[in-house]
Amino acid sequence: MATIHKLPYELLSLVFRYATLDEVSLEATYTDPGLLATYRFSEYERTGPTFETKSAISKVSRRWHAVSAQYLCEYIYCIGRRESVHWLAKCLEKKDNGATGGHRGQWVRRIDVSFRLFDVDWSTITDEEQHNGEENSYYGWQHILSLTPNVVVVDIMDELDNYPTDWTTQVLFSLRSLSRLRRVEWNGHGADISDLMQLSTLCPQLIHIGITLNASSDSEASTDAFTISLPETQTLLLHWTQKNHNNVQFPPFKPWDIPKLEHFTLFICSHDYMRLAQPLFQSLGTHLRSLELPTLGKYEKWTLPGDFLASNFPRLETLILDVFKVLLPRVPPSEPHRYLRVLGWRLRMGTALFDLRHLNEHRQYFNREAFPLLETVRIVHPYQFEDYSKGLTSVVMVDYWRSLLSDSSWANVVDFEGDPITLEEPEYDLWLQGNTEEWPIEW
């Protein structure tokens, strides 16, 4: 212990960097389609140990705290109320005692902003607004953003019920001042398509956008009045929430211009979405490299049109689907798709028996004649295939998976990391015990 305390600042900083490195959460975007399909569900689970390590290092001594301050502050989030946000701002205002000096806010690379009461959480309460004669000011998220000029990622979660009509404009103009901002995640129900237009205008440098857009019959945003231009965006994750398709116009998407888009995720809420989003597929699909179509809703299913890939995504290399929520055509495409190389599968936990029919449909539809370059089927969920294989409790299920894994005429099936899948013999056979009926699934 005495030796490490004698290390010079630069070497100690390198040790702390290695111990606290979070390679995923601070990235502007990702080139791995599988990671793009899963990062939003696993970020906090993945970053939790890193946060604990940073906190433990900073508490060892004043010197270690000073050296590790830049890593302690690089990713900040606050889930408390006004007082917590205020003290976070006060912390970022402090001078750094390390070798570089300056305010701690300069080290921030990512901020997760959480709104519960916008007026209270966002703005700074000035002396004139204080009650009972108090003189202290209380800072809000607006002040925190002004202290973080080098932030790259901003993740916004709005849980608002009552908010001023211009609240999104206030947030967007604050984001505009962040010259190094490259990624924005916006989750909640307070933004609509007009806010996306403002974001595209005020922050044209963004390369990654994940946003939930809300449609309502009383919205002032006419969906055909906005031209969305994102000249640098490479990744777009879009969740369009629209409960009533008859009273609210679905965006025509035709004016959308995203020339560098490589990955697109569109959350599907019903079968109608595939028809309503067709103009968007046509405008973005010609240069897209990876596509994910996750399905929301426990019982929602939709049908993949027979000519969907060939007509909309001629150069698509990776397609990720929820196996159990997509109905495939019985007949494979007549024209071969000559670019698709990777098929991503999202499997459901605890229902391995019911997945078999869907897996077999995928096996028949995505055959080598229709997709001659298909070489890999990657299981993007669950992350650990062992968690799924625990549900393979019958000989029939295990035998099917073994035939799938050993089929040399089809693609290689691998886990999330790209490693081959191995199966063990089931300890018991729930299906065969006491059941003499014929196997109900015809392949």
Side-chain angles (χ1 to χ4, degrees), residues 1-227:
M1 192 66 175
T3 303
I4 194 171
H5 277 290
K6 295 179 182 179
L7 286 177
Y9 177 94
E10 292 78 10
L11 290 180
L12 194 59
S13 179
L14 290 175
V15 172
F16 292 162
R17 173 71 291 175
Y18 180 79
T20 63
L21 185 61
D22 182 359
E23 297 181 342
V24 177
S25 299
L26 305 179
E27 292 292 331
T29 191
Y30 314 109
T31 57
D32 178 6
L35 186 56
L36 284 167
T38 57
Y39 79 92
R40 56 188 178 273
F41 306 116
S42 59
E43 276 195 318
Y44 287 106
E45 178 182 350
R46 185 177 56 250
T47 59
T50 302
F51 274 116
E52 294 175 1
T53 302
K54 293 176 181 179
S55 178
I57 290 176
S58 68
K59 296 174 182 178
V60 172
S61 66
R62 289 186 177 181
R63 182 169 183 259
W64 280 33
H65 182 84
V67 175
S68 64
Q70 57 182 309
Y71 310 129
L72 185 66
C73 297
E74 63 186 356
Y75 181 2
I76 61 175
Y77 67 93
C78 182
I79 57 176
R81 300 303 293 259
R82 149 73 63 182
E83 293 77 11
S84 301
V85 176
H86 170 74
W87 288 112
L88 176 59
K90 297 290 286 185
C91 175
L92 296 178
E93 282 184 330
K94 289 183 178 180
K95 289 282 188 177
D96 176 34
N97 296 325
T100 59
H103 294 289
R104 289 186 174 183
Q106 68 179 321
W107 299 117
V108 178
R109 296 295 180 269
R110 172 170 175 169
I111 301 177
D112 285 11
V113 179
S114 177
F115 293 129
R116 287 176 173 82
L117 299 173
F118 181 77
D119 286 332
V120 176
D121 292 342
W122 175 251
S123 57
T124 298
I125 300 178
T126 62
D127 291 341
E128 291 74 18
E129 294 172 315
Q130 295 296 315
H131 300 286
N132 301 323
E134 296 181 7
E135 297 181 354
N136 294 327
S137 295
Y138 283 85
Y139 297 127
W141 281 110
Q142 188 178 39
H143 184 68
I144 290 178
L145 290 177
S146 68
L147 296 172
T148 57
N150 298 319
V151 70
V152 176
V153 181
V154 172
D155 190 316
I156 299 172
M157 170 60 73
D158 72 78
E159 304 173 10
L160 307 174
D161 293 323
N162 298 307
Y163 43 83
T165 56
D166 65 338
W167 78 277
T168 54
T169 300
Q170 296 183 49
V171 176
L172 291 168
F173 271 88
S174 294
L175 297 181
R176 180 187 186 183
S177 63
L178 304 174
S179 61
R180 298 191 179 184
L181 184 64
R182 294 296 180 270
R183 172 177 153 198
V184 170
E185 307 271 355
W186 195 313
N187 303 292
H189 57 268
D192 60 24
I193 196 169
S194 64
D195 299 308
L196 179 59
M197 186 201 69
Q198 286 194 80
L199 182 65
S200 67
T201 303
L202 299 174
C203 303
Q205 77 279 10
L206 296 178
I207 66 174
H208 180 123
I209 298 175
I211 191 166
T212 299
L213 300 180
N214 183 53
S216 61
S217 57
D218 58 351
S219 173
E220 296 180 357
S222 176
T223 57
D224 61 352
F226 301 100
T227 298

Side-chain angles (χ1 to χ4, degrees), residues 282-295:
Q282 292 176 343
S283 64
L284 302 179
T286 55
H287 52 275
L288 212 61
R289 292 294 179 265
S290 58
L291 173 68
E292 182 200 10
L293 297 172
T295 309

Side-chain angles (χ1 to χ4, degrees), residues 245 268-275 293-305 322-328 348 351 354-359 361:
H245 297 145
I268 305 296
C269 297
S270 72
H271 179 75
D272 291 333
Y273 271 53
M274 294 301 293
R275 172 178 55 84
L293 297 172
T295 309
L296 302 179
K298 184 176 181 179
Y299 302 107
E300 293 292 343
K301 291 187 177 182
W302 55 276
T303 302
L304 186 76
D322 293 344
V323 169
F324 50 96
K325 292 187 176 182
V326 180
L327 305 177
L328 297 177
R348 53 181 170 178
T351 57
F354 301 99
D355 284 342
L356 297 187
R357 182 187 298 275
H358 300 292
L359 294 176
E361 290 175 354

